[in-house]
Amino acid sequence: MIELRNIRKSYRTEYTNLEVLKGIDLTIEQGEMVSIIGSSGSGKSTLLNILGILDEYDVGEYRLDGHLIKNISETQAAKYRNSFLGFVFQSFNLLSFKNAAENVALPLYYQKMDRKKRIDLAIDYLDRVGLKDWAYHLPNQMSGGQQQRVAIARALVSQPKVILADEPTGALDSKTSHEVMEIFEQVNREGITVIIVTHENDIAERTKRIIHLKDGLIE
Ligand code: ADP
Ligand code: MG
């Protein structure tokens, strides 16, 4: 599903050149559940943003489901993101003035699905993460764990092949973190590839493979 060959990435400013990824080789098969662990500043988000086609790399090759992701247009990148990828972030990134169902339905709005249909589908997905009764609540009426489950439902609603999660439990207490990990496990059992970035060992240990990122390389 995901194939990285000798991926290098630097951040350049006028005076400095910070080499963050120094030749990453990584293959992740369809249906895997993996974590990428490393200390703060080790390049985890940089790597995940490359996988999510949110950022470009300097050297190497990235193939997503066999497609070479290199020097592609923003339109093409958006097309790949919409058809393959779902994103979950540490800070949930829900719209505060939209209820849970509307937040989950948002990707379907961009696909121009009509309102009734997309809200019904959103409620189905909220049901899958155990939040059917919360469909008409606003984010600030929900706990952090519930908000993250809404965000996971939103990531799933466009039926991605891969879920990319950047520190998804970073803002949650340990009990809630493990509840969120249970949802990811359930998602993975349905055949979706799950990639979780974390700096917490007990979160990484809940995945089937742990990838250690250190000094710009995979150990
Ligand atoms: P992690 O997610 O593991 O904490 P990041 O991938 O966010 O690490 O960052 C890796 C390094 O790259 C850090 O030193 C960070 O300061 C630097 N960095 C990240 N994004 C940028 C950017 N857009 N411009 C310059 N430096 C950046
Ligand atoms: Mg990060």
Side-chain angles (χ1 to χ4, degrees):
M1 176 53 62
I2 279 171
E3 244 193 284
L4 298 178
R5 290 292 164 261
N6 189 34
I7 294 292
R8 292 172 173 268
K9 167 85 179 171
S10 301
Y11 292 111
R12 280 173 220 88
T13 62
E14 207 172 335
Y15 303 105
T16 60
N17 184 10
L18 180 67
E19 216 184 344
V20 178
L21 303 178
K22 300 178 183 170
I24 300 286
D25 291 308
L26 177 63
T27 302
I28 298 172
E29 305 291 347
Q30 182 167 359
E32 273 200 87
M33 175 153 179
V34 308
S35 52
I36 299 172
I37 193 166
S39 54
S40 174
S42 60
K44 302 181 298 296
S45 294
T46 301
L47 179 57
L48 204 73
N49 289 343
I50 289 170
L51 294 179
I53 330 180
L54 298 167
D55 201 355
E56 292 177 337
Y57 51 95
D58 304 325
V59 174
E61 286 189 347
Y62 168 27
R63 283 192 170 74
L64 172 62
D65 203 32
H67 305 277
L68 180 63
I69 307 297
K70 196 168 190 170
N71 303 324
I72 60 175
S73 67
E74 182 44 43
T75 316
Q76 189 65 25
K79 203 182 121 202
Y80 285 136
R81 280 196 299 269
N82 295 337
S83 47
F84 291 109
L85 306 173
F87 294 91
V88 178
F89 300 97
Q90 175 172 350
S91 52
F92 323 134
N93 294 5
L94 301 175
L95 296 179
S96 59
F97 51 92
K98 298 269 185 201
N99 67 35
E102 289 165 335
N103 267 286
V104 174
L106 201 63
L108 305 173
Y109 168 83
Y110 292 113
Q111 290 172 22
K112 301 189 166 58
M113 188 182 285
D114 68 56
R115 182 173 166 88
K116 167 89 173 84
K117 211 171 149 191
R118 66 177 191 262
I119 294 294
D120 285 351
L121 200 57
I123 291 171
D124 275 356
Y125 276 86
L126 282 170
D127 196 13
R128 292 193 199 190
V129 298
L131 289 176
K132 194 175 183 176
D133 294 340
W134 293 81
Y136 299 103
H137 286 72
L138 293 172
N140 68 11
Q141 299 169 324
M142 307 176 91
S143 69
Q146 289 174 324
Q147 291 183 56
Q148 194 60 301
R149 278 147 66 193
V150 173
I152 294 171
R154 181 186 54 190
L156 291 172
V157 80
S158 46
Q159 296 182 283
K161 293 188 172 174
V162 182
I163 292 280
L164 299 171
D166 194 348
E167 308 260 9
T169 62
L172 305 176
D173 63 49
S174 114
K175 179 173 174 285
T176 310
S177 294
H178 285 283
E179 287 165 11
V180 164
M181 288 305 290
E182 267 167 39
I183 304 277
F184 282 122
E185 284 161 3
Q186 176 196 318
V187 165
N188 177 246
R189 278 197 296 274
E190 291 169 14
I192 298 174
T193 309
V194 176
I195 304 175
I196 295 172
V197 156
T198 183
H199 63 271
E200 294 170 292
N201 278 312
D202 60 325
I203 295 299
E205 276 159 13
R206 294 202 52 162
T207 66
K208 295 170 193 155
R209 173 153 71 116
I210 303 178
I211 294 155
H212 293 267
L213 193 60
K214 195 180 171 192
D215 298 328
L217 289 168
I218 286 168
E219 287 190 301

